[in-house]
C-alpha cells in the first residue's frame, strides 16, 4: 500500500500539463530547470533555469529540436536566411531548445559540445538544453523532428510548423518577422 502511494505521488510530481502550440494563442508555459539555458561568463559556459515567460518584449523565432543532426538540418534553410537578414537584436531573437532526451544513444556529449560551440558563435541567441524532453511532452511535439514558432512581442504565436519548412513558409516567416518588427517600432513611437 505504501509503495503504491509513493509511486502515485512520484508520478504526480513529474506530470506535465500538455497543451499544444496554437497560432493566435499565447505560447503554453514551459520551464526547463536542467540543464537549462546556456549563458556565457567570460569564456565559461554556465547553465541557468529558463522559462517561456522570457519570450516577450521582442519578436522571437523559437526552434525546438531533437538532439539529432537530422533535426537541425531540417531548419538550416530558415536559420541561414535569418542570418542573412540580420534583424536588429533589440527587436528580434532566435531561441533554440534542444531536446537532449531525443538524442541518439551515446551522442549526448557531442550534442552538448555543439550547443556550447553555437553559444560562443551566437552569444545573443537563446540556447536551452532540455534534459528530459519536457518541451516535447508539454507542447505535444513529434519526436525525432523539429518545430518552429514565431512569437510576437506579447508572446502570442503568429506562425507554427513542425518539420521542414517549404520555401514559401520560409518567406512567410521572414515577412512576418518584418511585419512584427515594424508593428513593434510603431507602437514604441506612439508611446
Amino acid at each position: 500500500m505504501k509503495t503504491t502511494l509513493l509511486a502515485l505521488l512520484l508520478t504526480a510530481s513529474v506530470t506535465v500539463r500538455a497543451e499544444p502550440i496554437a497560432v493566435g494563442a499565447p505560447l503554453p508555459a514551459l520551464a526547463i530547470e536542467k540543464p537549462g539555458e546556456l549563458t556565457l561568463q567570460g569564456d565559461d559556459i554556465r547553465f541557468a533555469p529558463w522559462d517561456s515567460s522570457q519570450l516577450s518584449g521582442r519578436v522571437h523565432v523559437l526552434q525546438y529540436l531533437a538532439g539529432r543532426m537530422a533535426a537541425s538540418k531540417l531548419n538550416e534553410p530558415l536559420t541561414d536566411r535569418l542570418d542573412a537578414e540580420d534583424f536588429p537584436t533589440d527587436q528580434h531573437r532566435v531561441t533554440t531548445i534542444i531536446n537532449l532526451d531525443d538524442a541518439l544513444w551515446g551522442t549526448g556529449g557531442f550534442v552538448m559540445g555543439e550547443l556550447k560551440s553555437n553559444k560562443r558563435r551566437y552569444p545573443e541567441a537563446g540556447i536551452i538544453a532540455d534534459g528530459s524532453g519536457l518541451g516535447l511532452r508539454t507542447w505535444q511535439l513529434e519526436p525525432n523532428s523539429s518545430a518552429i514558432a514565431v512569437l510576437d512581442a506579447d508572446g502570442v504565436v503568429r506562425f507554427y510548423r513542425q518539420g521542414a519548412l517549404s520555401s514559401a513558409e520560409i518567406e512567410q516567416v521572414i515577412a512576418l518577422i518584418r511585419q512584427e518588427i515594424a508593428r513593434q517600432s510603431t507602437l514604441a513611437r506612439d508611446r
Side-chain angles (χ1 to χ4, degrees):
M1 177 74 166
K2 287 182 182 178
T3 305
T4 304
L5 181 58
L6 181 60
L8 286 172
L9 288 173
L10 289 174
T11 303
S13 69
V14 295
T15 300
V16 174
R17 182 171 177 254
E19 187 176 347
I21 297 172
V23 173
L27 183 71
L30 176 66
I32 298 173
E33 296 291 321
K34 292 187 180 180
E37 182 171 11
L38 283 77
T39 61
L40 275 174
Q41 294 180 348
D43 288 336
D44 293 336
I45 299 281
R46 306 282 167 108
F47 293 92
W50 176 90
D51 72 79
S52 57
S53 69
Q54 297 173 23
L55 300 174
S56 64
R58 55 184 156 178
V59 179
H60 283 268
V61 174
L62 173 66
Q63 303 181 88
Y64 189 93
L65 306 168
R68 300 165 182 251
M69 196 62 107
S72 68
K73 294 278 185 207
L74 293 174
N75 293 345
E76 269 186 6
L78 175 62
T79 56
D80 289 348
R81 183 66 191 280
L82 289 169
D83 282 346
E85 290 293 325
D86 198 29
F87 291 115
T89 58
D90 63 327
Q91 296 175 316
H92 167 264
R93 187 175 196 205
V94 175
T95 298
T96 303
I97 304 172
I98 303 295
N99 181 1
L100 298 177
D101 195 47
D102 196 356
L104 296 173
W105 187 83
T107 63
F110 172 75
V111 172
M112 191 59 78
E114 285 295 308
L115 292 179
K116 290 177 179 180
S117 174
N118 283 338
K119 183 62 182 177
R120 287 185 176 100
R121 184 173 174 199
Y122 302 103
E124 72 285 345
I127 300 176
I128 296 95
D130 181 357
S132 64
L134 190 59
L136 182 81
R137 294 187 311 278
T138 300
W139 291 334
Q140 299 177 3
L141 303 175
E142 297 171 9
N144 307 326
S145 190
S146 73
I148 298 285
V150 177
L151 312 175
D152 66 17
D154 298 318
V156 174
V157 178
R158 297 297 174 200
F159 175 91
Y160 171 67
R161 171 90 161 85
Q162 287 195 69
L165 273 61
S166 68
S167 295
E169 288 169 325
I170 291 171
E171 293 307 315
Q172 180 183 356
V173 165
I174 298 300
L176 182 58
I177 294 168
R178 285 188 187 128
Q179 173 187 329
E180 288 299 322
I181 287 174
R183 185 176 74 85
Q184 188 178 350
S185 295
T186 299
L187 290 173
R189 270 195 313 268
D190 292 346
R191 288 184 194 155

